[in-house]
Amino acid sequence: FESISNEKFIHASIVTISFVFFVVLLEFLIGFLIAILLNQVEKFRNIYYFILLIPLLINPVVVGLIWRMFLHPQLGILNYLIGFIGVEPINWLGDPKMAFVTIIFVDIWHQVSFMIILLLAGLSAIPKEPYEAARSDGAGILDCFIHITLPYMRPVIIVTILIRLIFAIKTYDLIYIMTKGGPGDATDLISYYIYRSAFISLNLGEAAAMSTI
């Protein structure tokens, strides 16, 4: 009961829910769109697969370190590039609202390949006969998508979103490397808050209770 009434725990839970919602939703939409486009490609498909897998193969700690350097307010390449179009340097990880958005962007960059690969596998398994029959009956692209693609893809979509939800809720590496839950508690996801409670504040009982919840 103390964990449930803990304001910091509640705040970390809200931040985590917001993070998971935006990350999973955007990754699904982007991943589904790219998967549909790639499913139409015949030439160099294996090369595209390899390029897509590169971010996913990088360790999350390395991803955090790379992007922390890219996003450095003075020395980062991102602020250097946007300076060419007259945009003032942005404190990507120092502003509370911007830090939350930045973490979402980095996670999408790292994990969207997972969505693409699974959804692309599902699309590749759909037989072509229903599409041919629908087109012969005068169905358009949107009709085929709604009445053929989505029904066939429903099991794959459910499993993909469920797996991604589980991993998103457990996100820890990026927060530890990039923001340490800051600035303030803007990116204090529940996994990192439990870690701080257990190994920094040494409230092992409270951390165990929060982990169970």
Side-chain angles (χ1 to χ4, degrees):
F1 291 107
E2 288 184 8
S3 298
I4 296 175
S5 62
N6 186 331
E7 291 184 3
K8 291 184 178 180
F9 176 70
I10 294 172
H11 173 77
S13 302
I14 294 171
V15 173
T16 303
I17 291 170
S18 302
F19 172 81
V20 170
F21 174 78
F22 286 112
V23 159
V24 175
L25 176 63
L26 293 174
E27 286 179 8
F28 172 73
L29 294 177
I30 296 170
F32 206 2
L33 176 61
I34 295 176
I36 290 172
L37 295 175
L38 282 177
N39 195 45
Q40 311 300 322
V41 175
E42 296 295 336
K43 293 183 178 180
F44 309 115
R45 180 176 289 189
N46 290 335
I47 296 176
Y48 294 135
Y49 285 176
F50 175 73
I51 294 172
L52 284 171
L53 282 172
I54 290 174
L56 197 60
L57 294 174
I58 303 175
N59 188 284
V61 174
V62 178
V63 171
L65 290 171
I66 291 172
W67 278 100
R68 194 173 69 176
M69 290 188 290
F70 284 170
L71 299 168
H72 192 280
Q74 280 81 42
L75 306 175
I77 190 173
L78 203 57
N79 277 341
Y80 174 75
L81 292 175
I82 65 175
F84 285 114
I85 57 175
V87 178
E88 293 294 322
I90 299 172
N91 193 359
W92 300 98
L93 300 175
D95 178 80
K97 292 182 180 179
M98 185 57 69
F100 184 73
V101 174
T102 301
I103 291 294
I104 290 175
F105 167 78
V106 173
D107 191 84
I108 291 173
W109 178 88
H110 185 219
Q111 296 290 340
V112 72
S113 299
F114 174 80
M115 286 279 195
I116 296 171
I117 296 300
L118 289 186
L119 293 172
L120 191 54
L123 288 170
S124 301
I126 299 177
K128 295 182 179 180
E129 288 78 8
Y131 291 103
E132 294 171 355
R135 290 192 192 97
S136 65
D137 289 337
I141 296 175
L142 185 60
D143 293 321
C144 290
F145 177 76
I146 294 174
H147 298 291
I148 300 175
T149 305
L150 287 181
Y152 271 102
M153 286 292 293
R154 188 176 294 117
V156 177
I157 290 172
I158 292 172
V159 171
T160 302
I161 291 178
L162 181 61
I163 294 173
R164 189 65 195 98
L165 275 170
I166 293 170
F167 284 114
I169 291 171
K170 298 194 297 180
T171 299
Y172 168 82
D173 314 73
L174 289 180
I175 302 301
Y176 179 79
I177 296 297
M178 296 185 69
T179 64
K180 295 287 194 299
D185 54 6
T187 60
D188 196 13
L189 299 188
I190 197 166
S191 56
Y192 187 71
Y193 178 68
I194 291 172
Y195 158 78
R196 288 207 330 271
S197 298
F199 300 108
I200 297 177
S201 300
L202 298 180
N203 293 325
L204 298 179
E206 184 179 10
M210 290 188 291
S211 298
T212 303
I213 294 172

